[in-house]
């Protein structure tokens, strides 16, 4: 097997397993959801605070649509993740949050459970207010 073929195969595996900002946003409806008995504005602000607390970079933020895309870099167990957060008001004082997390590179990736981590951190941030 030539070196070019091996490199092409490795590149193909990496590209197929890559999560981009668009692919994580397209996964809406496939994530973990939790509802909070708080206003949309309070949950949105708590979500931003939770992301900051967990050292996540805000890649995209749109308060009007309730969508955030967060990013986490490389660690010993992961090549990084893209995390989409979708929020919607489900009443005057209730908000639903959905979190979808996808690895940047799928092979040999053992990312943390960002959905659970962020949902718990949002709840903690809401308790402070």
């Amino acid at each position: 097997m030539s070196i070019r073929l091996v490199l092409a195969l490795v590149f193909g595996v990496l590209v197929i397993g890559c999560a981009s900002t668009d692919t994580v946003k397209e996964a809406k409806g496939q994530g973990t959801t939790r509802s909070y008995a708080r206003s949309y504005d309070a949950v949105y602000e708590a979500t931003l605070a939770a992301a900051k607390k967990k050292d996540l970079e805000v890649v995209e933020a749109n308060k009007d649509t309730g969508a955030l895309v967060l990013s986490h870099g490389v660690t010993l167990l992961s090549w990084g993740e893209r995390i989409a957060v979708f929020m919607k008001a489900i009443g005057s004082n209730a908000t639903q949050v959905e979190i979808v997390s996808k690895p940047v590179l799928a092979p040999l990736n053992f990312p943390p459970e960002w959905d659970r981590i962020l949902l718990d951190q949002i709840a903690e941030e809401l308790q402070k207010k």
Side-chain angles (χ1 to χ4, degrees):
M1 197 183 277
S2 75
I3 190 78
R4 286 184 184 162
L5 182 58
V6 171
L7 290 175
L9 287 171
V10 169
F11 179 75
V13 168
L14 294 177
V15 169
I16 290 170
C18 290
S20 68
T21 300
D22 289 336
T23 59
V24 76
K25 288 191 302 189
E26 291 167 0
K28 184 176 183 178
Q30 301 172 22
T32 303
T33 61
R34 188 179 298 176
S35 296
Y36 301 96
R38 297 296 291 273
S39 71
Y40 175 84
D41 288 337
V43 172
Y44 187 87
E45 294 304 319
T47 302
L48 289 174
K52 183 176 182 179
K53 186 98 168 209
K54 296 301 179 183
D55 296 322
L56 298 171
E57 176 188 350
V58 177
V59 177
E60 288 182 19
N62 188 328
K63 188 173 182 179
D64 294 335
T65 64
L68 293 173
V69 177
L70 309 171
S71 178
H72 189 264
V74 176
T75 65
L76 289 175
L77 297 175
S78 170
W79 291 103
E81 295 81 42
R82 296 281 185 270
I83 304 151
V85 182
F86 305 102
M87 291 167 267
K88 68 177 178 181
I90 53 174
S92 60
N93 202 32
T95 306
Q96 182 181 41
V97 177
E98 176 188 2
I99 297 178
V100 178
S101 176
K102 294 194 174 278
V104 172
L105 295 176
L108 302 172
N109 201 29
F110 306 99
E113 294 179 31
W114 284 114
D115 52 352
R116 181 191 53 78
I117 291 167
L118 276 175
L119 291 169
D120 290 348
Q121 188 64 45
I122 293 167
E124 189 176 311
E125 295 298 324
L126 288 169
Q127 288 177 356
K128 294 178 184 178
K129 298 179 183 209

